[in-house]
Coordinates of all heavy atoms in Angstrom, one line a residue:
M361 N -17.6 -18.3 -1.2 CA -17.4 -16.9 -1.1 C -15.9 -16.6 -1.0 O -15.2 -17.3 -0.3 CB -18.2 -16.4 0.1 CG -18.7 -15.0 -0.1 SD -19.8 -14.3 1.2 CE -19.8 -15.4 2.6
I362 N -15.5 -15.5 -1.6 CA -14.1 -15.1 -1.5 C -14.1 -13.8 -0.6 O -14.8 -12.9 -0.8 CB -13.5 -14.7 -2.8 CG1 -13.4 -16.0 -3.7 CG2 -12.1 -14.1 -2.7 CD1 -12.9 -15.7 -5.1
I363 N -13.3 -13.9 0.5 CA -13.3 -12.8 1.4 C -11.8 -12.3 1.6 O -10.9 -13.1 1.7 CB -13.8 -13.3 2.8 CG1 -15.2 -13.7 2.6 CG2 -13.7 -12.1 3.8 CD1 -15.8 -14.5 3.8
C364 N -11.6 -11.0 1.5 CA -10.3 -10.4 1.5 C -10.0 -9.7 2.9 O -10.9 -9.1 3.4 CB -10.1 -9.4 0.4 SG -10.2 -10.1 -1.2
F365 N -8.8 -9.9 3.4 CA -8.4 -9.3 4.6 C -7.2 -8.4 4.3 O -6.2 -8.9 3.7 CB -8.0 -10.3 5.7 CG -9.2 -11.0 6.3 CD1 -9.8 -12.0 5.7 CD2 -9.6 -10.6 7.5 CE1 -10.9 -12.7 6.2 CE2 -10.7 -11.2 8.1 CZ -11.3 -12.3 7.5
D366 N -7.1 -7.2 4.8 CA -5.9 -6.4 4.7 C -4.9 -6.8 5.7 O -5.3 -7.2 6.8 CB -6.3 -4.9 4.9 CG -5.2 -4.0 4.7 OD1 -4.6 -4.0 3.7 OD2 -4.9 -3.2 5.7
L367 N -3.6 -6.7 5.4 CA -2.6 -7.1 6.3 C -2.2 -6.0 7.2 O -2.3 -6.1 8.4 CB -1.4 -7.6 5.5 CG -0.1 -8.0 6.3 CD1 -0.4 -9.0 7.3 CD2 1.0 -8.5 5.3
D368 N -1.7 -4.9 6.7 CA -1.1 -3.9 7.5 C -2.2 -3.0 8.1 O -3.0 -2.4 7.5 CB -0.2 -3.0 6.7 CG 1.0 -3.8 6.1 OD1 1.7 -4.4 6.9 OD2 1.1 -3.7 4.9
G369 N -2.3 -3.1 9.5 CA -3.3 -2.3 10.2 C -4.6 -3.1 10.5 O -5.4 -2.6 11.2
T370 N -4.8 -4.2 9.8 CA -6.0 -5.0 10.1 C -5.5 -6.4 10.7 O -5.6 -6.5 11.9 CB -6.8 -5.3 8.9 OG1 -7.2 -4.0 8.3 CG2 -8.1 -6.1 9.2
I371 N -5.0 -7.3 9.9 CA -4.4 -8.5 10.5 C -3.4 -8.2 11.5 O -3.3 -8.7 12.6 CB -3.9 -9.4 9.4 CG1 -5.0 -9.9 8.5 CG2 -3.2 -10.6 10.0 CD1 -4.6 -10.7 7.3
S372 N -2.5 -7.3 11.2 CA -1.3 -6.9 12.1 C -1.8 -6.3 13.4 O -1.1 -6.4 14.4 CB -0.3 -6.0 11.4 OG -0.9 -4.8 11.1
S373 N -3.0 -5.7 13.4 CA -3.4 -5.1 14.7 C -4.1 -6.0 15.6 O -4.1 -5.8 16.8 CB -4.4 -3.9 14.4 OG -5.6 -4.4 13.9
A374 N -4.6 -7.2 15.1 CA -5.2 -8.2 16.0 C -5.0 -9.5 15.4 O -5.9 -10.2 15.0 CB -6.7 -7.8 16.2
P375 N -3.7 -10.0 15.3 CA -3.5 -11.2 14.6 C -4.2 -12.5 15.1 O -4.6 -13.3 14.3 CB -1.9 -11.4 14.7 CG -1.5 -10.5 15.8 CD -2.5 -9.4 15.9
Q376 N -4.3 -12.6 16.4 CA -4.9 -13.8 16.9 C -6.4 -13.9 16.6 O -6.9 -14.9 16.2 CB -4.8 -13.9 18.5 CG -3.3 -14.2 18.9 CD -3.2 -14.1 20.4 OE1 -4.0 -13.6 21.1 NE2 -2.1 -14.7 20.9
E377 N -7.0 -12.7 16.7 CA -8.5 -12.7 16.4 C -8.7 -12.8 14.8 O -9.6 -13.6 14.4 CB -9.1 -11.3 16.8 CG -9.1 -11.1 18.3 CD -7.8 -10.6 18.9 OE1 -6.8 -10.5 18.2 OE2 -7.8 -10.4 20.1
M378 N -7.8 -12.2 14.0 CA -8.0 -12.3 12.6 C -7.7 -13.8 12.1 O -8.4 -14.3 11.3 CB -7.0 -11.4 11.9 CG -7.3 -9.9 12.0 SD -8.9 -9.5 11.3 CE -9.9 -9.2 12.7
R379 N -6.7 -14.4 12.8 CA -6.4 -15.8 12.4 C -7.7 -16.7 12.7 O -8.0 -17.5 11.9 CB -5.2 -16.3 13.2 CG -4.9 -17.8 12.9 CD -3.8 -18.4 13.8 NE -3.6 -19.8 13.4 CZ -2.7 -20.2 12.6 NH1 -1.9 -19.4 12.0 NH2 -2.6 -21.5 12.3
A380 N -8.3 -16.5 13.9 CA -9.5 -17.3 14.2 C -10.6 -17.0 13.2 O -11.3 -18.0 12.8 CB -9.9 -16.9 15.7
I381 N -10.8 -15.8 12.8 CA -11.8 -15.5 11.8 C -11.5 -16.2 10.5 O -12.4 -16.8 9.9 CB -12.0 -14.0 11.7 CG1 -12.6 -13.4 13.0 CG2 -12.9 -13.7 10.5 CD1 -12.5 -11.9 13.1
M382 N -10.3 -16.0 10.0 CA -9.9 -16.6 8.8 C -10.0 -18.1 8.8 O -10.5 -18.7 7.8 CB -8.5 -16.1 8.4 CG -8.4 -14.6 8.0 SD -6.8 -14.1 7.4 CE -5.8 -14.2 8.8
E383 N -9.6 -18.7 9.9 CA -9.7 -20.2 9.9 C -11.1 -20.6 10.0 O -11.5 -21.6 9.3 CB -9.0 -20.7 11.2 CG -7.5 -20.6 11.0 CD -6.7 -21.1 12.3 OE1 -7.3 -21.0 13.4 OE2 -5.5 -21.4 12.2
A384 N -12.0 -19.9 10.7 CA -13.4 -20.2 10.7 C -14.0 -20.1 9.3 O -14.8 -21.0 8.9 CB -14.2 -19.3 11.7
L385 N -13.7 -19.0 8.6 CA -14.2 -18.9 7.2 C -13.8 -20.0 6.3 O -14.6 -20.5 5.5 CB -13.8 -17.5 6.7 CG -14.5 -16.3 7.3 CD1 -13.8 -15.0 7.0 CD2 -16.0 -16.3 7.0
R386 N -12.5 -20.3 6.4 CA -12.0 -21.4 5.6 C -12.7 -22.7 6.0 O -12.9 -23.6 5.1 CB -10.5 -21.5 5.7 CG -9.8 -20.4 5.0 CD -8.3 -20.5 5.1 NE -7.8 -21.5 4.1 CZ -6.8 -22.3 4.2 NH1 -6.0 -22.2 5.3 NH2 -6.4 -23.1 3.3
G387 N -12.9 -22.9 7.3 CA -13.5 -24.1 7.7 C -15.0 -24.3 7.2 O -15.4 -25.4 7.0
R388 N -15.6 -23.2 6.9 CA -17.0 -23.4 6.3 C -16.9 -23.4 4.8 O -18.0 -23.3 4.2 CB -17.9 -22.3 6.9 CG -17.7 -20.9 6.4 CD -18.7 -19.9 6.9 NE -18.7 -18.8 6.0 CZ -19.4 -17.7 6.2 NH1 -20.3 -17.7 7.2 NH2 -19.4 -16.7 5.4
G389 N -15.7 -23.3 4.2 CA -15.6 -23.5 2.8 C -15.4 -22.2 2.0 O -15.3 -22.2 0.8
D390 N -15.2 -21.1 2.7 CA -14.9 -19.8 2.0 C -13.4 -19.8 1.7 O -12.6 -20.5 2.2 CB -15.2 -18.6 2.9 CG -16.7 -18.5 3.2 OD1 -17.5 -18.7 2.3 OD2 -17.1 -18.2 4.3
E391 N -13.1 -19.0 0.7 CA -11.8 -18.7 0.2 C -11.3 -17.4 0.8 O -11.9 -16.4 0.6 CB -11.7 -18.7 -1.3 CG -10.3 -18.7 -1.9 CD -10.3 -18.8 -3.4 OE1 -11.1 -19.6 -3.9 OE2 -9.5 -18.2 -4.0
V392 N -10.1 -17.5 1.5 CA -9.6 -16.3 2.2 C -8.4 -15.8 1.5 O -7.4 -16.5 1.3 CB -9.3 -16.6 3.7 CG1 -8.6 -15.4 4.3 CG2 -10.6 -17.0 4.4
H393 N -8.4 -14.5 1.1 CA -7.3 -13.8 0.5 C -6.8 -12.8 1.4 O -7.5 -12.0 2.0 CB -7.7 -13.1 -0.8 CG -8.1 -14.1 -1.9 ND1 -8.1 -13.7 -3.2 CD2 -8.6 -15.4 -1.8 CE1 -8.5 -14.8 -3.9 NE2 -8.8 -15.7 -3.1
V394 N -5.4 -12.7 1.6 CA -4.8 -11.6 2.2 C -4.4 -10.6 1.2 O -3.7 -11.0 0.2 CB -3.6 -12.0 3.1 CG1 -2.8 -10.8 3.6 CG2 -4.0 -13.0 4.2
L395 N -4.9 -9.4 1.2 CA -4.7 -8.4 0.2 C -3.9 -7.2 0.9 O -4.4 -6.6 1.9 CB -6.0 -7.9 -0.3 CG -6.1 -6.8 -1.3 CD1 -5.2 -7.1 -2.6 CD2 -7.5 -6.6 -1.8
T396 N -2.8 -6.9 0.3 CA -2.0 -5.8 1.0 C -1.3 -5.0 -0.1 O -1.1 -5.4 -1.2 CB -0.9 -6.5 1.9 OG1 -0.3 -5.5 2.7 CG2 0.1 -7.3 1.2
G397 N -0.8 -3.8 0.3 CA -0.1 -2.9 -0.6 C 1.3 -2.9 -0.3 O 1.8 -3.4 0.7
H398 N 2.1 -2.4 -1.3 CA 3.5 -2.2 -1.2 C 3.8 -0.8 -1.7 O 3.3 -0.4 -2.7 CB 4.2 -3.3 -2.1 CG 5.7 -3.1 -2.3 ND1 6.6 -3.1 -1.3 CD2 6.4 -2.8 -3.4 CE1 7.8 -2.9 -1.8 NE2 7.7 -2.6 -3.1
K399 N 4.7 -0.1 -1.0 CA 5.0 1.3 -1.3 C 5.8 1.5 -2.6 O 5.7 2.6 -3.1 CB 5.8 1.9 -0.1 CG 4.9 2.0 1.1 CD 5.7 2.7 2.2 CE 4.9 2.8 3.5 NZ 5.6 3.4 4.6
G400 N 6.4 0.5 -3.1 CA 7.2 0.6 -4.3 C 6.3 0.6 -5.6 O 5.1 0.4 -5.5
D401 N 7.0 0.8 -6.7 CA 6.3 0.8 -8.0 C 5.9 -0.6 -8.5 O 5.1 -0.7 -9.5 CB 7.1 1.6 -9.0 CG 7.2 3.1 -8.7 OD1 6.2 3.6 -8.1 OD2 8.1 3.7 -9.1
S402 N 6.6 -1.6 -8.0 CA 6.3 -3.0 -8.5 C 6.5 -4.0 -7.4 O 7.0 -3.7 -6.3 CB 7.2 -3.3 -9.7 OG 8.6 -3.3 -9.2
V403 N 5.9 -5.2 -7.6 CA 6.0 -6.2 -6.6 C 6.9 -7.3 -7.2 O 6.8 -7.7 -8.3 CB 4.6 -6.8 -6.4 CG1 4.7 -8.0 -5.4 CG2 3.7 -5.7 -5.8
N404 N 7.9 -7.8 -6.4 CA 8.8 -8.8 -6.8 C 8.8 -9.9 -5.8 O 8.1 -9.8 -4.7 CB 10.2 -8.3 -7.1 CG 10.8 -7.6 -5.9 OD1 10.6 -8.0 -4.7 ND2 11.5 -6.5 -6.1
D405 N 9.6 -10.9 -6.0 CA 9.6 -12.1 -5.1 C 10.1 -11.7 -3.7 O 9.6 -12.2 -2.7 CB 10.6 -13.2 -5.6 CG 10.0 -13.9 -6.8 OD1 8.8 -13.8 -7.1 OD2 10.8 -14.5 -7.6
G406 N 11.0 -10.7 -3.6 CA 11.4 -10.2 -2.3 C 10.3 -9.6 -1.5 O 10.2 -9.8 -0.3
V407 N 9.4 -8.8 -2.2 CA 8.3 -8.2 -1.5 C 7.3 -9.2 -1.0 O 6.9 -9.2 0.1 CB 7.6 -7.2 -2.5 CG1 6.3 -6.7 -1.9 CG2 8.5 -6.0 -2.8
I408 N 7.0 -10.2 -1.8 CA 6.1 -11.3 -1.5 C 6.7 -12.0 -0.3 O 6.0 -12.3 0.7 CB 5.8 -12.2 -2.7 CG1 5.0 -11.4 -3.7 CG2 5.1 -13.4 -2.2 CD1 4.9 -12.0 -5.0
A409 N 8.0 -12.3 -0.3 CA 8.6 -13.1 0.8 C 8.5 -12.3 2.1 O 8.3 -12.9 3.1 CB 10.1 -13.4 0.4
S410 N 8.7 -11.0 2.0 CA 8.6 -10.2 3.2 C 7.2 -10.1 3.8 O 7.0 -10.2 5.0 CB 9.2 -8.7 3.0 OG 8.3 -8.0 2.2
K411 N 6.2 -10.1 2.9 CA 4.8 -10.1 3.4 C 4.5 -11.5 4.0 O 3.8 -11.6 5.0 CB 3.8 -9.8 2.3 CG 4.0 -8.4 1.7 CD 3.6 -7.3 2.7 CE 3.7 -6.0 2.0 NZ 3.2 -4.9 2.9
L412 N 5.0 -12.6 3.4 CA 4.8 -13.9 3.9 C 5.5 -14.1 5.3 O 5.0 -14.7 6.2 CB 5.3 -15.0 3.0 CG 4.4 -15.2 1.7 CD1 5.1 -16.1 0.7 CD2 3.1 -15.8 2.1
A413 N 6.7 -13.5 5.4 CA 7.4 -13.5 6.7 C 6.6 -12.8 7.8 O 6.6 -13.2 8.9 CB 8.8 -12.9 6.5
L414 N 6.1 -11.6 7.4 CA 5.3 -10.9 8.4 C 4.1 -11.7 8.8 O 3.8 -11.8 10.0 CB 4.8 -9.6 7.8 CG 3.8 -8.7 8.6 CD1 4.4 -8.4 10.0 CD2 3.4 -7.4 7.9
L415 N 3.4 -12.3 7.9 CA 2.2 -13.2 8.3 C 2.7 -14.3 9.2 O 2.0 -14.6 10.2 CB 1.5 -13.7 7.0 CG 0.7 -12.7 6.3 CD1 0.5 -13.1 4.8 CD2 -0.6 -12.5 7.0
K416 N 3.8 -14.9 8.9 CA 4.3 -16.0 9.7 C 4.6 -15.5 11.1 O 4.3 -16.1 12.1 CB 5.6 -16.6 9.1 CG 6.1 -17.8 9.9 CD 7.2 -18.5 9.2 CE 7.7 -19.7 10.0 NZ 8.8 -20.4 9.3
S417 N 5.3 -14.3 11.2 CA 5.6 -13.7 12.5 C 4.4 -13.4 13.3 O 4.4 -13.4 14.6 CB 6.5 -12.5 12.4 OG 5.7 -11.4 11.9
L418 N 3.3 -13.1 12.7 CA 2.0 -12.9 13.3 C 1.2 -14.1 13.7 O 0.2 -14.1 14.3 CB 1.1 -12.0 12.5 CG 1.7 -10.6 12.2 CD1 0.8 -9.9 11.1 CD2 1.7 -9.7 13.4
G419 N 1.8 -15.3 13.3 CA 1.1 -16.5 13.6 C 0.0 -16.8 12.6 O -0.9 -17.6 12.9
C420 N 0.0 -16.2 11.4 CA -1.1 -16.3 10.5 C -0.7 -17.1 9.2 O -1.4 -17.0 8.2 CB -1.6 -14.9 10.1 SG -2.5 -14.1 11.5
E421 N 0.4 -17.8 9.2 CA 0.7 -18.6 8.1 C -0.3 -19.8 8.0 O -0.7 -20.3 9.1 CB 2.2 -19.1 8.1 CG 2.4 -20.2 9.1 CD 2.6 -19.8 10.6 OE1 2.5 -18.6 10.9 OE2 2.8 -20.7 11.4
G422 N -0.7 -20.2 6.9 CA -1.5 -21.3 6.7 C -3.0 -21.1 7.0 O -3.8 -22.0 6.9
C423 N -3.4 -19.8 7.2 CA -4.8 -19.6 7.5 C -5.5 -18.8 6.4 O -6.6 -18.3 6.6 CB -5.0 -18.9 8.9 SG -4.3 -17.3 9.0
F424 N -4.8 -18.8 5.2 CA -5.4 -18.1 4.1 C -5.1 -18.9 2.8 O -4.2 -19.7 2.8 CB -4.9 -16.6 4.0 CG -3.4 -16.5 3.8 CD1 -2.8 -16.5 2.6 CD2 -2.6 -16.5 5.0 CE1 -1.4 -16.4 2.5 CE2 -1.2 -16.4 4.9 CZ -0.6 -16.4 3.6
D425 N -5.8 -18.6 1.8 CA -5.6 -19.3 0.5 C -4.7 -18.6 -0.5 O -4.0 -19.3 -1.3 CB -7.0 -19.6 -0.2 CG -7.9 -20.4 0.7 OD1 -7.6 -21.6 0.9 OD2 -8.9 -19.9 1.3
R426 N -4.7 -17.3 -0.5 CA -3.9 -16.5 -1.4 C -3.5 -15.2 -0.8 O -4.2 -14.6 -0.1 CB -4.8 -16.2 -2.7 CG -4.0 -15.5 -3.7 CD -4.9 -15.1 -4.9 NE -5.3 -16.3 -5.7 CZ -6.0 -16.2 -6.7 NH1 -6.6 -15.1 -7.2 NH2 -6.3 -17.3 -7.4
L427 N -2.2 -14.9 -1.2 CA -1.7 -13.6 -0.8 C -1.6 -12.8 -2.1 O -1.0 -13.2 -3.1 CB -0.3 -13.7 -0.2 CG 0.5 -12.4 0.0 CD1 -0.2 -11.5 1.0 CD2 1.9 -12.7 0.4
A428 N -2.2 -11.6 -2.0 CA -2.1 -10.7 -3.2 C -1.5 -9.4 -2.7 O -2.0 -8.8 -1.7 CB -3.5 -10.4 -3.7
V429 N -0.5 -8.9 -3.4 CA 0.2 -7.7 -3.1 C 0.1 -6.8 -4.3 O 0.4 -7.1 -5.4 CB 1.7 -7.9 -2.8 CG1 2.4 -6.6 -2.3 CG2 1.9 -9.0 -1.7
V430 N -0.4 -5.6 -4.0 CA -0.5 -4.6 -5.1 C 0.5 -3.5 -4.8 O 0.8 -3.1 -3.7 CB -1.9 -4.0 -5.2 CG1 -3.0 -5.0 -5.6 CG2 -2.4 -3.3 -3.9
A431 N 1.1 -3.0 -5.9 CA 2.1 -1.9 -5.8 C 1.3 -0.6 -5.6 O 0.1 -0.5 -5.8 CB 2.9 -1.8 -7.1
N432 N 2.0 0.4 -5.1 CA 1.4 1.7 -4.7 C 2.0 2.9 -5.5 O 2.4 3.8 -4.9 CB 1.7 1.9 -3.2 CG 0.9 3.0 -2.6 OD1 0.0 3.5 -3.2 ND2 1.4 3.5 -1.5
P433 N 1.9 2.8 -6.8 CA 2.3 4.0 -7.6 C 1.4 5.2 -7.3 O 0.2 5.1 -7.5 CB 2.3 3.6 -9.0 CG 1.3 2.5 -9.1 CD 1.3 1.8 -7.7
K434 N 2.0 6.3 -6.9 CA 1.3 7.5 -6.7 C 0.1 7.4 -5.7 O -1.0 7.9 -5.9 CB 0.8 8.1 -8.0 CG 2.0 8.4 -8.9 CD 1.6 9.0 -10.2 CE 2.8 9.2 -11.1 NZ 2.5 9.6 -12.4
N435 N 0.3 6.5 -4.7 CA -0.7 6.4 -3.6 C -2.1 5.9 -4.1 O -3.1 6.4 -3.6 CB -0.9 7.6 -2.8 CG 0.4 7.9 -2.0 OD1 1.0 7.0 -1.5 ND2 0.8 9.1 -2.0
K436 N -2.2 5.0 -5.1 CA -3.4 4.5 -5.7 C -3.7 3.1 -5.1 O -4.4 2.4 -5.8 CB -3.4 4.5 -7.2 CG -3.1 5.8 -7.8 CD -4.2 6.8 -7.8 CE -3.9 8.0 -8.6 NZ -4.7 9.1 -8.2
V437 N -3.2 2.8 -4.0 CA -3.4 1.4 -3.5 C -4.8 1.0 -3.2 O -5.2 -0.1 -3.5 CB -2.5 1.1 -2.2 CG1 -3.0 1.9 -1.0 CG2 -2.3 -0.3 -2.0
A438 N -5.6 1.9 -2.7 CA -7.0 1.6 -2.4 C -7.8 1.3 -3.7 O -8.5 0.3 -3.7 CB -7.7 2.8 -1.7
R439 N -7.5 2.0 -4.8 CA -8.1 1.7 -6.1 C -7.7 0.4 -6.6 O -8.5 -0.4 -7.1 CB -7.8 2.8 -7.1 CG -8.5 2.6 -8.4 CD -8.2 3.7 -9.4 NE -8.4 5.1 -8.8 CZ -7.9 6.2 -9.3 NH1 -7.2 6.1 -10.4 NH2 -8.1 7.3 -8.7
Q440 N -6.4 0.1 -6.4 CA -5.9 -1.2 -6.9 C -6.4 -2.4 -6.1 O -6.8 -3.5 -6.6 CB -4.4 -1.2 -6.8 CG -3.8 -0.3 -7.9 CD -2.3 -0.5 -8.0 OE1 -1.7 -1.5 -7.7 NE2 -1.6 0.6 -8.3
K441 N -6.6 -2.2 -4.8 CA -7.2 -3.2 -3.9 C -8.7 -3.5 -4.4 O -9.1 -4.6 -4.5 CB -7.1 -2.9 -2.5 CG -5.8 -3.0 -1.9 CD -5.8 -2.6 -0.4 CE -4.5 -2.8 0.3 NZ -4.5 -2.4 1.7
A442 N -9.4 -2.4 -4.6 CA -10.8 -2.5 -5.1 C -10.9 -3.3 -6.4 O -11.7 -4.1 -6.6 CB -11.4 -1.2 -5.2
H443 N -10.0 -3.0 -7.3 CA -9.9 -3.6 -8.6 C -9.6 -5.1 -8.4 O -10.3 -6.0 -9.0 CB -8.8 -3.0 -9.5 CG -8.7 -3.6 -10.8 ND1 -7.9 -4.7 -11.1 CD2 -9.4 -3.4 -12.0 CE1 -8.0 -5.1 -12.3 NE2 -8.9 -4.3 -12.9
Y444 N -8.7 -5.5 -7.5 CA -8.4 -6.9 -7.3 C -9.6 -7.6 -6.7 O -10.0 -8.7 -7.2 CB -7.2 -7.0 -6.3 CG -7.0 -8.4 -5.9 CD1 -6.2 -9.3 -6.7 CD2 -7.6 -9.0 -4.7 CE1 -6.1 -10.6 -6.3 CE2 -7.4 -10.3 -4.4 CZ -6.6 -11.1 -5.2 OH -6.5 -12.4 -4.9
M445 N -10.3 -7.0 -5.7 CA -11.4 -7.6 -5.1 C -12.5 -7.9 -6.2 O -13.2 -8.9 -6.2 CB -12.0 -6.8 -4.0 CG -11.0 -6.9 -2.8 SD -11.7 -6.1 -1.3 CE -11.5 -4.4 -1.7
K446 N -12.7 -6.9 -7.0 CA -13.7 -7.0 -8.1 C -13.3 -8.1 -9.1 O -14.2 -8.9 -9.5 CB -13.9 -5.7 -8.8 CG -15.0 -5.8 -9.9 CD -15.2 -4.4 -10.5 CE -16.3 -4.5 -11.5 NZ -16.6 -3.2 -12.2
S447 N -12.0 -8.2 -9.4 CA -11.6 -9.1 -10.4 C -11.7 -10.6 -9.9 O -11.9 -11.5 -10.8 CB -10.1 -8.8 -10.8 OG -9.2 -9.2 -9.8
V448 N -11.6 -10.8 -8.6 CA -11.7 -12.2 -8.1 C -13.1 -12.5 -7.6 O -13.4 -13.6 -7.2 CB -10.7 -12.5 -7.0 CG1 -9.3 -12.4 -7.6 CG2 -10.9 -11.6 -5.8
G449 N -14.0 -11.5 -7.7 CA -15.4 -11.7 -7.2 C -15.5 -11.8 -5.7 O -16.4 -12.5 -5.2
A450 N -14.7 -11.0 -5.0 CA -14.7 -11.0 -3.5 C -16.1 -10.5 -3.0 O -16.7 -9.6 -3.7 CB -13.6 -10.2 -2.9
S451 N -16.5 -11.0 -1.9 CA -17.8 -10.6 -1.3 C -17.6 -9.3 -0.6 O -17.0 -9.1 0.4 CB -18.3 -11.7 -0.4 OG -18.6 -12.8 -1.2

């Protein structure tokens, strides 16, 4: 199963608990994706690096399989996150 977690406001609000959940899911063989938005019109290496740094600062590095960052043109981030989840077959 592929399971997605939002970073800002979800993982960041309870990082220890989210880490434990993500590690448990990975331990049973599930694939964990961190899915987050970016306020700019596009995503580049700097944006990805900053999201990875945030995850590391929260103690959540190494507890997920993939980081996906969607850009936020005209506040359509929720739609883009839903599209991503559908495209990867997330549960």
Side-chain angles (χ1 to χ4, degrees):
M361 214 172 6
I362 297 174
I363 301 166
C364 296
F365 286 81
D366 182 57
L367 175 55
D368 300 306
T370 303
I371 295 173
S372 65
S373 68
Q376 293 176 341
E377 293 83 354
M378 293 293 110
R379 179 183 178 97
I381 293 167
M382 291 187 288
E383 287 177 338
L385 290 167
R386 289 183 78 211
R388 73 175 199 183
D390 293 320
E391 190 173 323
V392 173
H393 294 203
V394 173
L395 177 56
T396 189
H398 168 64
K399 291 181 182 180
D401 291 333
S402 63
V403 175
N404 58 35
D405 290 342
V407 171
I408 293 169
S410 70
K411 297 293 185 174
L412 288 170
L414 175 56
L415 285 160
K416 184 175 183 178
S417 75
L418 295 170
C420 292
E421 75 281 358
C423 64
F424 58 93
D425 299 291
R426 181 185 288 179
L427 170 63
V429 183
V430 297
N432 188 19
K434 299 180 183 172
N435 296 317
K436 303 286 187 203
V437 72
R439 186 179 308 162
Q440 290 188 30
K441 285 180 178 181
H443 180 267
Y444 173 84
M445 290 186 285
K446 185 176 180 181
S447 74
V448 298
S451 297

